[in-house]
Amino acid sequence: MFEITKRSARTCSMLGQRGSIFGQAVLSAAEEDEKFVLLTADLATLSGMTKFIYKYPNQFYNIGIAEQNMIGIAAGLAAEGFHPCATTYATFITMRSCEQVRHFCGYMKEKIIVVGSGAGLSQGFAGNTHYSIEDLAVMRSIPNITILSPADAASAIKLFEQARKAEGAVYMRLTGNLNCPMVYKEETSFEIGKAKQLKEGSDVVIYAVGTMVSAALKATAKLEEKGITATVYDMFSVKPIDKVAVQTSKQYELAVTIEEHNKMGGLGAAVAEVMTEKAGMPRLLRCGIHDSFDLACNYDGLLAQNRLTTELIAEDILAAL
């Protein structure tokens, strides 16, 4: 069982979410469960699976660049009593394999952990073919799939443990690069369907997901300089969403969602759906990727294009207020 400490959090941060999952979490899974199997679509080395391959060669399958086939093989293994984890870049595993995920994970309810790495804009100069800005919208629309998006690399390992225990299929969305910003520096527990409140304020409530949780926390410092305090939630459980946490927005002047995903169909849409079920809710400001394709550049530049840097997030919240 992985424990978050200052030291382990720093190590995980250096590896990033992808490195922490495939460099540590899957090794622990194989050690504890001889039925655990890992499948990849030709991303073994880039995802840090070398140690796993060396230690558990009979529990590893490199399917090659055949993402649809990989989901089908994972479903077959699950049907035969194995516990598969299938992974490749988020854009390919959710869209190229959408029909297979829908049929095998959603309709047939096979227990597969589907891990989409490099989600959001972290692929940088690889361009729009590799940016994953639609995956939450796609996966949220498929019944019987749990969706988890960790805020940092340490919580990614904890959430992988929860994914293994969950009933039915789970989609894990991994964002950020190496040296992923740390959010959790001490041991904490996570429960699917329950958000984590990280900060308490009285003027604004912020619902953030993935690496944008760190950005949200930093933005609150900018707001405090202007005398505005904010409550911040880590919405790592995108589906099922914590309706109770969302409905607390009624007591604030403004609600904000922050995500490294298209504003359409992602966390902002999920929060809006919950808010419409109650009367007297505040205005909702959705911060996310614009509904367009970006000019390719480095990760920080892409975040700036979409006003997802700390300073620009704070600016937009102040303007909304």
Side-chain angles (χ1 to χ4, degrees):
M1 184 71 72
F2 175 76
E3 182 178 352
I4 300 177
T5 64
K6 288 183 179 179
R7 183 175 181 177
S8 67
R10 282 195 299 270
T11 301
C12 290
S13 170
M14 292 171 62
L15 294 170
Q17 293 189 14
R18 185 193 313 176
S20 294
I21 288 292
F22 299 112
Q24 182 164 344
V26 294
L27 282 167
S28 298
E31 182 179 344
E32 297 167 8
D33 178 11
E34 63 181 12
K35 292 288 188 180
F36 177 84
V37 289
L38 177 61
L39 299 85
T40 184
D42 214 26
L43 282 185
T45 302
L46 287 173
S47 295
M49 299 178 190
T50 304
K51 191 172 181 179
F52 185 95
I53 298 168
Y54 177 79
K55 194 170 183 179
Y56 300 103
N58 295 328
Q59 291 171 255
F60 174 76
Y61 300 90
N62 187 348
I63 310 304
I65 305 175
E67 294 84 359
Q68 297 167 331
N69 197 30
M70 178 175 67
I71 297 298
I73 292 170
L77 288 165
E80 290 298 319
F82 291 92
H83 306 143
C85 169
T87 181
T88 186
Y89 289 144
T91 185
F92 302 134
I93 207 164
T94 59
M95 289 189 285
R96 186 171 296 169
S97 308
C98 182
E99 183 180 8
Q100 286 73 23
V101 170
R102 178 182 184 269
H103 291 345
F104 297 132
C105 298
Y107 179 51
M108 296 178 66
K109 301 181 182 179
E110 295 294 355
K111 170 62 176 175
I112 306 170
I113 301 176
V114 178
V115 180
S117 65
L121 300 170
S122 63
Q123 297 291 337
F125 284 106
N128 285 283
T129 56
H130 284 57
Y131 304 155
S132 183
I133 67 173
E134 311 91 348
D135 55 315
L136 287 180
V138 171
M139 300 298 270
R140 275 209 319 126
S141 66
I142 301 174
N144 303 318
I145 297 180
T146 295
I147 301 175
L148 304 176
S149 181
D152 65 5
S155 63
I157 296 178
K158 303 291 282 190
L159 289 176
F160 190 81
E161 292 172 354
Q162 291 297 309
R164 289 175 56 206
K165 298 174 186 176
E167 291 186 11
V170 177
Y171 172 55
M172 281 196 68
R173 182 182 205 251
L174 306 183
T175 55
N177 286 317
L178 301 177
N179 298 312
C180 183
M182 290 184 289
V183 173
Y184 297 97
K185 301 177 184 178
E186 58 185 36
E187 180 61 11
T188 188
S189 60
F190 295 86
E191 181 182 348
I192 292 174
K194 298 292 183 182
K196 296 283 289 187
Q197 183 177 333
L198 303 179
K199 193 176 179 65
E200 185 172 2
S202 58
D203 302 305
V204 180
V205 59
I206 299 174
Y207 303 103
V209 70
T211 50
M212 288 297 103
V213 175
S214 174
L217 290 169
K218 292 173 183 176
T220 62
K222 300 287 185 182
L223 297 176
E224 286 169 3
E225 293 173 3
K226 304 292 184 180
I228 296 163
T229 61
T231 294
V232 178
Y233 283 98
D234 174 6
M235 303 297 286
F236 65 88
S237 182
V238 178
K239 182 182 179 181
I241 196 168
D242 187 344
K243 289 189 174 185
V244 174
V246 174
Q247 289 168 352
T248 63
S249 62
K250 190 171 184 178
Q251 62 187 290
Y252 298 92
E253 184 178 348
L254 178 71
V256 181
T257 58
I258 310 176
E259 60 190 314
E260 199 177 320
H261 183 276
N262 194 327
K263 296 177 186 180
M264 318 287 270
L267 176 67
V271 168
E273 290 161 10
V274 176
M275 290 177 70
T276 59
E277 296 174 358
K278 290 283 185 178
M281 288 295 186
R283 178 188 172 189
L284 175 63
L285 170 66
R286 291 180 295 159
C287 300
I289 296 171
H290 304 319
D291 188 31
S292 62
F293 292 111
D294 287 314
L295 297 173
C297 64
N298 62 28
Y299 184 43
D300 291 340
L302 289 165
L303 293 177
Q305 283 186 53
N306 292 280
R307 302 190 64 79
L308 289 176
T309 64
T310 297
E311 294 77 10
L312 294 175
I313 289 169
E315 276 185 22
D316 288 349
I317 292 173
L318 288 169
L321 287 169

